[in-house]
Amino acid sequence: MSTDASIRAADTRAEVRALSAAATLAGHAPSIHNTQPWRWRLTSNELDLYLDHSRGLEITDPDSRLAILSCGAALHHALVSLAAAGWHTLIARMPNPAHPDHLAQLRLDHRIPVTPAAIRHRQTIALRHTDRRPVVSTPVAADKLRSIVAAVESAGAGLHLLQPDQVYDLAAAAADCAQRTESGEAAWQSELTYWTGGTRPLGSGVPDAAIPDRAPQATVPGRDFGHHGDLPISEAHENVATFAILYGLEDGQLDWLRAGEALSAAWLTATELGVSVLPLSATIEVAVTREHLRRLLADLGHPQLVLRLSTSDPAGTAPAHTPRLPAEQVIERA
Ligand SMILES: Cc1cc2nc3c(=O)[nH]c(=O)nc-3n(C[C@H](O)[C@H](O)[C@H](O)COP(=O)(O)O)c2cc1C
């Protein structure tokens, strides 16, 4: 092989390694009920992201808005990995209008200097997790909230921090939503039971270890998993939490994908600042309460997800990380 050809072959191997590592790291992304509804296809210099309907929630998420949002979080994780490997990446979102499940295409463009912030972000991916315990009594400082809002905006979405009176409106929407979903929706309940509880040996779903062992004291109730889990929690009341609505300008697939990218950007920043994030999506899942949140946002945009932001508990032991599917199950190598 000529020297030029062997250099090109080595370059291609380096690109494949970077893309493969990005898809693998993206597996840590948060997803609704830990369904991990993504599939990656890797070729020598491209990485394609697809929505995988086989792990979709037909009843809870019939139009796949939360699944696509979850895929957006995985997409952002992949971009973080590539930036930390020193790559500038070209991204085409929704590259093929005839195939709406093809959510993004990544192509490595040129090398860039690796910044300490990029390395830190990559390290934070493995540390980030959902913490459903009641919050500690220290409110989140204003400068930290500003940094989280800036992270969301840099990823192309918005974050509206709720005023105290708006938190009561949110609580009313959450109560309304709980009533609508609990009242007799057997199919909704069985989907929830399929994905949550138990020890989850197959690498997806929310295990009992991550579900509180009793109902936390809360103004805005978290998701009712239909049973108590094994996560020990205190009697603390979360009245110092900050609630926020992640929103997009429009309400289509692209906005859901962008909202997911923004969720990841916000969550990684928050984790680095010692701020815990709990996504609350029940009010988004039900059309009536989603409309209620839209009114709370006034003219800002369309609600995509509710977030509870609180100071991480430095003393308590964080819940164990939830399991993930093996990488080879979600990455297809062409
Ligand atoms: C779009 C979306 C919606 C979510 N909704 C909720 C929710 O309503 N309640 C909840 O407790 N967790 C919610 N989560 C958190 C997931 O259950 C969590 O990300 C998943 O179980 C993986 O766990 P990890 O975040 O600790 O890695 C949501 C996550 C995403 C991405």
Side-chain angles (χ1 to χ4, degrees):
M1 204 190 287
S2 76
T3 316
D4 279 0
S6 54
I7 291 173
R8 267 200 307 279
D11 283 353
T12 304
R13 280 198 302 276
E15 292 183 12
V16 170
R17 266 201 309 274
L19 290 169
S20 175
T24 304
L25 199 69
H28 287 284
S31 59
I32 176 77
H33 292 356
N34 199 22
T35 47
Q36 303 156 65
W38 46 73
R39 186 165 51 83
W40 295 98
R41 188 160 188 276
L42 172 62
T43 52
S44 57
N45 65 343
E46 272 174 16
L47 183 61
D48 290 277
L49 171 64
Y50 296 87
L51 174 64
D52 186 341
H53 288 281
S54 70
R55 287 189 298 283
L57 302 169
E58 273 176 39
I59 312 291
T60 314
D61 188 29
D63 47 11
S64 300
R65 65 167 54 238
L66 295 169
I68 293 176
L69 199 154
S70 304
C71 289
L75 172 60
H76 184 266
H77 274 35
L79 293 172
V80 166
S81 170
L82 291 169
W87 284 102
H88 175 76
T89 309
L90 299 178
I91 317 160
R93 295 179 180 81
M94 305 289 168
N96 191 345
H99 293 282
D101 292 346
H102 189 184
L103 299 178
Q105 181 164 74
L106 307 186
R107 188 172 296 165
L108 299 180
D109 192 43
H110 59 268
R111 306 295 311 217
I112 48 169
V114 176
T115 63
I119 300 279
R120 197 171 57 241
H121 255 41
R122 180 173 62 188
Q123 287 168 342
T124 306
I125 284 179
L127 305 174
R128 182 218 57 81
H129 66 279
T130 302
D131 192 347
R132 301 181 179 84
R133 294 173 300 169
V135 307
V136 295
S137 57
T138 320
V140 181
D143 60 330
K144 294 186 178 181
L145 291 172
R146 273 196 295 276
S147 299
I148 295 167
V149 171
V152 166
E153 289 172 354
S154 71
L159 189 68
H160 175 62
L161 306 177
L162 295 182
Q163 299 299 320
D165 57 323
Q166 294 181 315
V167 173
Y168 288 111
D169 284 342
L170 172 65
D176 182 18
C177 173
Q179 238 174 24
R180 281 166 198 272
T181 44
E182 273 168 18
S183 57
E185 270 258 28
W188 190 89
Q189 286 294 350
S190 77
E191 193 170 70
L192 183 70
T193 307
Y194 179 84
W195 284 103
T196 65
T199 50
R200 321 299 315 172
L202 299 177
S204 58
V206 183
D208 273 337
I211 298 176
D213 63 2
R214 70 194 112 134
Q217 304 230 47
T219 311
V220 181
R223 181 176 296 276
D224 179 358
F225 287 95
H227 72 285
H228 296 146
D230 299 333
L231 178 65
I233 64 163
S234 73
E235 289 291 340
H237 193 289
E238 65 180 16
N239 46 13
V240 297
T242 298
F243 290 89
I245 302 179
L246 179 65
Y247 64 89
L249 287 185
E250 300 297 336
D251 200 24
Q253 288 205 357
L254 183 59
D255 306 278
W256 306 340
L257 189 72
R258 287 267 194 195
E261 292 176 60
L263 172 68
S264 165
W267 208 333
L268 296 181
T269 300
T271 305
E272 286 162 11
L273 294 171
V275 175
S276 140
V277 177
L278 175 61
L280 300 171
S281 55
T283 47
I284 299 288
E285 289 153 22
V286 175
V288 177
T289 47
R290 192 166 67 242
E291 185 51 35
H292 192 115
L293 298 190
R294 180 155 153 65
R295 286 198 294 276
L296 266 185
L297 283 176
D299 292 330
L300 284 174
H302 295 262
Q304 311 295 0
L305 197 61
V306 174
L307 302 182
R308 184 192 79 178
L309 305 170
S310 56
T311 303
S312 300
D313 187 350
T317 318
H321 284 270
T322 52
R324 288 298 189 271
L325 294 164
E328 53 279 16
Q329 204 174 319
V330 292
I331 306 174
E332 185 189 318
R333 289 161 211 272

